[in-house]
């Protein structure tokens, strides 16, 4: 769980849907940070053992922040920036080969 | 220090299959293997246990392969019991996907020719597009059909090698890794093999060093005219299972990753990967399975196959230096049970399996007519 | 050839290289994965909120000047671009907006930077365990801090710096747990005279210590046997210190044991590396102007060896000057005149390193962790498993990878590589330099199959994009 510090300049906000839930975050922020501030602690369950994982490095190295963005699985949330209407699902285990199936 | 019964040079799939089989018979045995950065065809293995299409024009090789495929289930079970490792053998039948009618007809004709040559039961059938899609719904529209052999399957090369090493060591086999053989000298009743300053003495020596056999074979009065042939492989992220049947170029492993490989290049001792080749491998794979388009590639490989001039194995005992053997092939996975079983018996002085009598180096000599 | 100079990475080294290259008249393109320049150290500096900038300090805002200069220099700057292959003939393959493209230049400066050293301890894979650098990124990118109790643990300059920054931001830092074993300070003192030449760093360190003390924050020293406790996320950090087991309740555990060069690109190209025992990391072998063992491929900044952000600026400029000289665009006299002050600046920045490297040398249980610790996070392979592979006969990371799947996941060995090398070295009784590293292949990061397949239709095409 992360929270914004006090007194920073206001930013334009956008609305994401995270696991169906509406979440309002500053536009252009890295998705991983938006999710952390929305109270999401575990972003995925590993394909090997279904262990819960969340972001570790926030710089694209650890690959633990993988989520599904707009139907695309295994996206590094720290490398994607939020847009209004973005759909986010947690990555539970191995992805389907065809996510639309 | 007591002498060894057998010394095996080379710890890849071929070497370890032999060593495992030898250790199983109670031989006092040691194996010498090079370092972490050696070429290691074993690391580039696709994992197919494959019958279809093999031995065209050489029915003895087709028979050797058929025997291997039939022996695989017991071999896998034995390794499982001995080491606790499941090598993930699965033999549901294998497919060669064809992207044109000519390709399909050509492959079917080859298999028919094999069937005619062998005169035994050589099972295969031809699936048209509809039948193929009934079997594998994810097949892309560009695929016109496939040839299927119910005897084909696949295994995990990774787990297999680890099981062989573990099984070998549990049977008392010694493994000396990270060493390079400098010399092999004959002595009465056997051989002195010098590697990195240490001498190993053994009654028998088996050369299973892949491309390294070329330099080693002459030391024991043999010849192994093998050349590297590069294959490149693409590996995806883990996926939920969707492909049960291995295909010649695409298969899904027990971990869920998809392995794709489909290339043969003569580039010498270069195990690098090239986008030129990888892009073609990827393009063919997405034509066969369009759902792979959006799947992430996590790894790629280049590895050097060990190719004899005609692509068939060399199994030869040295006449000049009795007790020395050279073993080389490029289908080490499929043939693993044969290497651990009948070949070991032969190395021990037993009968040479009739299927392999033709695989001598003399066949490469140029005949003048 | 599409350009004279391709620069990879928009951190301080890359920004400097591109700016210098463009100023020398080289047709320069800069490729970077992030949406804005700055790399990690100056991440989001171009959009920094003034209050945040004040909190992060003047060092951070230096990046703004670099970014400004980059913006003005006329180089072709392409963001949101992943470089996923560099071929031995220096063809660069990038991915942007889902499509692959290729560029080629006779000179490349790879300024791919550093990453945090892995801090493998039991429980480190739980949600809520992050690197200290990650907390800094959260501040820089989102002005955000962990909401609950925070404990920082490790050894390295970032530990105290992040603790101070979090305090200033109003976060709750429950404790700082230092893992540097006894004797480090004494050993580091040997390098103090050299370090004094870079006294601003020392002064900064002293200020941070005073801040932490003044805040009354519990500080533990010479801690060992660290483990994160928790079921679904971090709940506490346990460790041994002061002769007994300690436990600090925390919702967020920030680990830090220094940074190491990110060697994916340098390994992809099979450049010469050496294992550096003072930084416990691989260094790329380069000459004074970044030229590696592959002609035309230069490196700059922390991607070569850890020398810090200021050194990276000088390093990037030196590499660009070397490139210009190699292209015949700079005569010998001008080259000597321009490079001399930069080389001096680089030398000064380097003087603090032996002191810092000795003071903050990671403890053994971090570089060669206990058996139960997960080392490969992607494939969930433990240190014990890696040791077992060595006993089975594996002589290095590649055989170990093949047998255990360690290093086969999407991070492609970035996180586990250094630990595996050191684990194997200890188990095999060989120096890490002899054990080697993972073989790295394209793609440098996972890319969709379709992006590779699409290239089959356009073999070897060079786009003047």
């Amino acid at each position: 769980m992360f929270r914004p510090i006090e007194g920073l300049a206001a930013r334009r906000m956008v609305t994401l849907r995270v696991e169906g839930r509406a979440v309002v975050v500053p536009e252009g922020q890295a998705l991983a940070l938006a999710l952390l501030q929305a109270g999401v602690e575990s972003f995925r369950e590993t394909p090997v053992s279904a262990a819960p994982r969340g972001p570790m490095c926030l710089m694209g190295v650890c690959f633990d922040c993988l989520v599904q963005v707009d139907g695309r699985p295994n996206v590094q949330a720290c490398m994607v920036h939020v847009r209004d209407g973005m759909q986010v699902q947690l990555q539970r285990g191995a992805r389907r080969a065809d996510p639309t199936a | 220090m007591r002498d060894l019964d057998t010394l095996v040079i080379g710890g890849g799939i071929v070497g370890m299959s032999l060593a495992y089989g030898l250790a199983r018979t109670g031989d006092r045995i040691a194996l010498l293997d090079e370092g972490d950065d050696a070429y290691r065809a074993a690391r580039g293995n696709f994992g197919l246990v494959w019958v279809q299409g093999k031995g065209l024009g050489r029915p003895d090789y087709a028979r050797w392969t058929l025997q291997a495929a039939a022996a695989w289930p017991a071999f896998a079970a034995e390794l499982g019991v001995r080491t606790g490792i499941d090598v993930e053998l699965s033999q549901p039948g294998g497919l060669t996907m064809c992207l044109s009618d000519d390709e399909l007809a050509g492959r079917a004709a080859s298999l028919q020719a094999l069937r005619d040559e062998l005169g035994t039961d050589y099972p295969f059938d031809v699936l048209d597009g509809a039948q193929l899609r009934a079997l594998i719904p994810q097949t892309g529209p560009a695929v016109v059909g496939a040839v299927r052999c119910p005897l084909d399957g696949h295994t995990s090369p990774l787990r297999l090698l680890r099981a062989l090493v573990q099984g070998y060591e549990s049977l008392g086999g010694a493994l000396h890794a990270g060493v390079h053989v400098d010399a092999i000298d004959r002595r009465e009743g056997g051989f002195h093999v010098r590697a990195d300053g240490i001498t190993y003495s053994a009654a028998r020596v088996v050369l299973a060093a892949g491309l390294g056999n070329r330099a080693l074979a002459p030391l024991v009065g043999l010849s192994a005219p093998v050349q590297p042939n590069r294959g490149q492989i693409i590996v995806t992220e883990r996926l939920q299972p969707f492909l049960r049947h291995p295909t010649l170029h695409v298969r899904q492993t027990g971990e869920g990753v998809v392995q794709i490989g489909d290339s043969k290049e003569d580039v010498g001792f270069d195990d690098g990967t090239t986008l030129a080749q990888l892009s073609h491998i990827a393009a063919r794979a997405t034509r066969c399975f369009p759902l792979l388009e959006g799947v992430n590639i996590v790894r790629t490989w280049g590895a050097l196959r060990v190719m004899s001039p005609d692509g068939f194995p060399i199994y030869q005992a040295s006449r000049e230096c009795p007790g020395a053997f050279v073993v080389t092939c490029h289908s080490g996975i499929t043939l693993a049970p044969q290497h651990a079983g009948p070949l070991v018996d032969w190395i021990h002085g037993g009968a040479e399996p009739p299927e392999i009598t033709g695989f001598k180096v003399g066949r490469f000599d140029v005949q003048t007519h | 050839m599409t350009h004279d100079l391709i620069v990879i990475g928009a951190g301080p080294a890359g920004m400097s290289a591109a700016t210098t290259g463009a100023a020398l008249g080289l047709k320069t393109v800069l490729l970077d994965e992030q949406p804005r320049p700055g790399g990690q150290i100056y991440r989001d500096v171009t959009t920094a909120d003034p209050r945040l900038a004040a909190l992060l300090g003047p060092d951070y805002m230096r990046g703004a000047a670099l970014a400004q200069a980059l913006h003005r220099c006329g180089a072709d700057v392409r963001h949101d671009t992943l470089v996923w292959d560099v071929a031995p003939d220096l063809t660069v393959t990038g991915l942007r907006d889902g499509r692959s493209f290729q560029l080629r230049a006779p000179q490349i400066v790879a300024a791919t930077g550093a990453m945090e050293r892995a801090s493998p301890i039991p429980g480190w894979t739980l949600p809520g365990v992050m690197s200290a650098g990650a907390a800094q990124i959260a501040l820089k990118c989102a002005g955000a801090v962990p909401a609950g109790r925070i404990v920082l643990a490790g050894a390295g300059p970032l530990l105290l710096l992040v603790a101070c920054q979090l305090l200033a931001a109003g976060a709750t830092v429950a404790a700082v747990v230092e893992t540097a074993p006894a004797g480090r300070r004494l050993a580091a003192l040997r390098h103090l005279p050299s370090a004094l030449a870079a006294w601003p760093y020392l002064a900064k360190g002293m200020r941070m210590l005073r801040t932490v003390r003044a805040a009354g924050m519990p500080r533990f020293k010479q801690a060992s046997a660290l483990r994160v406790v928790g079921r679904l996320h971090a709940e506490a950090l346990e460790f041994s210190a002061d002769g007994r087991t300690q436990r600090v309740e925390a919702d967020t555990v920030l680990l830090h044991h220094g940074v190491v060069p990110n060697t994916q690109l340098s390994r992809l190209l099979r450049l010469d590396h050496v294992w550096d025992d003072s930084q416990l990391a691989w260094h790329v072998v380069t000459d004074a102007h970044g030229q590696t063992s592959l002609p035309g491929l230069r490196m700059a900044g922390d991607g070569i060896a850890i020398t810090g952000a200021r050194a990276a600026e000088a390093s990037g400029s030196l590499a660009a000057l070397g490139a210009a000289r190699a292209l015949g665009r700079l005569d010998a006299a001008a080259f000597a005149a321009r490079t001399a002050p930069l080389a001096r600046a680089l030398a000064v920045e380097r003087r603090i390193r032996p002191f810092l490297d000795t003071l903050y040398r990671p403890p053994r249980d971090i570089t060669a962790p206990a058996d139960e610790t997960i080392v490969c996070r992607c494939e969930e392979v433990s240190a014990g498993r890696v040791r077992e592979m060595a006993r089975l006969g594996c002589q290095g990371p590649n055989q170990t990878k093949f047998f255990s799947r360690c290093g086969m996941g999407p991070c492609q060995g970035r996180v586990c590589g250094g630990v595996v090398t050191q684990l194997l070295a200890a188990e095999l009784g060989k120096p890490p330099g002899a054990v080697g590293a993972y073989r790295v292949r394209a793609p440098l990061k996972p890319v969709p199959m379709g992006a590779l397949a699409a290239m089959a239709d356009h073999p070897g095409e060079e786009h003047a994009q």
Side-chain angles (χ1 to χ4, degrees), chain A residues 9 11 28-30 34 46 48 50 52 57 59 62 68-69 85 87 89-90:
Chain A
R11 290 191 148 162
Q29 203 170 80
T46 63
V48 175
C57 76
M59 58 178 277
C62 74
Q68 194 159 315
V69 176
Q87 308 276 328
Q89 305 282 127
L90 304 187

Side-chain angles (χ1 to χ4, degrees), chain B residues 33-37 40 42-45 157-159 161-162 165-166 169 175 177-178 234 236 238 253 255 257 260 270-273 275-276 278-286 292-303, chain C residues 84-85 88 93 102 268 270 378-379 385 388-389 391-405 407-412 430 435-437 439 441-443 445-457 459:
Chain B
D33 193 37
E34 284 190 327
D36 192 55
D37 53 358
R40 297 190 183 284
R43 273 216 293 267
N45 258 302
L158 206 135
R159 286 163 170 260
L161 189 60
R162 188 158 57 87
V165 172
Q166 237 172 267
E169 291 183 342
L175 199 158
I234 294 173
T236 70
R238 288 175 180 245
T253 74
E255 289 84 19
V257 304
I260 306 162
D270 180 356
D271 64 354
T273 35
L275 290 195
L278 291 173
S279 60
H280 280 107
I281 295 171
R284 194 190 161 101
T286 52
L292 290 176
E293 279 258 342
V295 168
N296 288 313
I297 298 167
V298 171
R299 295 185 294 126
T300 60
W301 273 115
Chain C
W84 61 269
D85 185 42
T93 305
Q102 292 189 311
L268 172 71
R270 312 199 86 183
C378 297
E379 292 285 324
R385 186 85 161 137
E388 192 192 322
M389 296 301 107
R391 288 193 293 274
L392 208 55
C394 292
Q395 293 294 295
N398 294 291
Q399 287 177 287
T400 302
K401 176 176 177 180
F402 186 75
F403 273 15
S404 70
R405 298 195 60 85
M408 284 189 175
C411 100
Q412 302 167 318
K430 297 199 301 194
V435 165
R439 180 88 181 261
R441 312 266 196 168
K445 278 195 165 184
V447 296
M449 187 81 61
L452 175 58
M455 297 176 70
D457 303 326

Side-chain angles (χ1 to χ4, degrees), chain C residues 33-342:
Chain C
E33 237 186 316
Q34 295 286 340
R36 293 173 281 279
Q40 297 308 321
I41 190 93
Y42 300 127
R43 186 133 165 209
D44 277 2
V45 71
T46 56
T47 51
D49 182 289
R51 214 212 114 171
L52 210 44
L55 192 156
L56 291 165
D59 286 349
Y60 175 62
M61 286 316 289
R62 187 175 173 84
L66 292 174
Q68 278 249 344
L70 174 72
H71 184 65
R72 293 200 186 114
C73 76
D76 176 3
V77 179
R78 304 189 198 181
H79 284 290
D80 299 303
T81 301
L82 169 67
V83 169
W84 61 269
D85 185 42
V86 179
D89 72 356
L90 304 186
T91 299
V92 173
T93 305
L95 182 72
R96 192 179 191 189
D97 293 328
R99 293 183 62 244
S100 285
F101 67 93
Q102 292 189 311
L103 304 176
R104 194 151 170 249
Q107 293 283 325
I108 296 180
V109 175
T112 41
M115 55 186 189
E116 292 245 1
R117 183 194 305 277
S119 295
I121 59 175
W124 74 309
T125 55
L126 284 167
V129 181
M130 303 170 78
S131 61
Q136 223 186 35
I137 288 169
L139 268 174
K140 288 169 181 170
C141 295
V145 295
R149 288 167 57 86
I150 305 164
V151 62
L152 288 112
L158 217 56
L159 203 68
L160 281 185
L161 175 60
V162 171
C164 291
Q165 288 173 335
L166 287 172
L167 275 176
T172 308
V173 181
V176 173
V177 177
E178 293 169 29
T179 57
R184 287 279 193 261
R185 275 204 288 185
L186 204 56
L189 280 175
R190 190 158 53 85
H191 302 290
L192 196 54
S194 171
L196 286 172
W199 62 266
Y201 284 113
L202 291 176
K204 190 171 156 191
M206 303 293 304
R207 279 198 301 275
M208 294 193 293
L209 270 171
R210 276 202 301 273
T211 306
V212 163
R213 281 196 194 117
M217 184 189 308
R219 235 178 112 207
F220 297 88
K221 306 240 197 107
Q222 291 160 33
S224 63
L226 271 62
R227 72 170 51 236
V228 180
V229 180
R231 197 172 63 88
L232 296 176
H233 57 88
E235 291 169 18
L237 181 72
E238 286 184 355
F239 53 95
S240 295
D242 302 324
R244 62 181 190 85
T245 304
Q246 312 275 356
R247 182 185 168 104
V248 177
E249 306 284 325
D251 309 289
T252 302
V253 177
L254 301 176
L255 302 175
H256 177 70
H257 285 95
V259 295
V260 295
N262 184 333
T263 55
Q264 296 299 106
L265 180 55
S266 53
R267 286 293 180 189
L268 172 71
L269 287 163
R270 312 199 86 183
L271 306 179
D272 290 345
H273 294 73
V274 292
W275 177 262
D276 184 83
D277 193 65
S278 56
Q279 291 196 340
L280 293 178
W282 293 103
H283 286 180
V284 183
V285 176
T286 71
D287 72 7
H289 311 102
Q291 176 60 58
T292 66
S293 53
L294 178 63
L297 196 291
R298 294 172 194 271
M299 292 194 67
D302 276 0
I304 299 174
I306 304 304
T307 44
R310 299 297 290 262
E313 287 179 44
S315 174
S317 293
L318 284 166
L321 285 160
R325 178 94 184 107
L327 292 172
R329 309 284 269 272
L330 203 57
D331 65 51
F335 179 68
R338 304 267 320 244
T339 55
L342 291 165

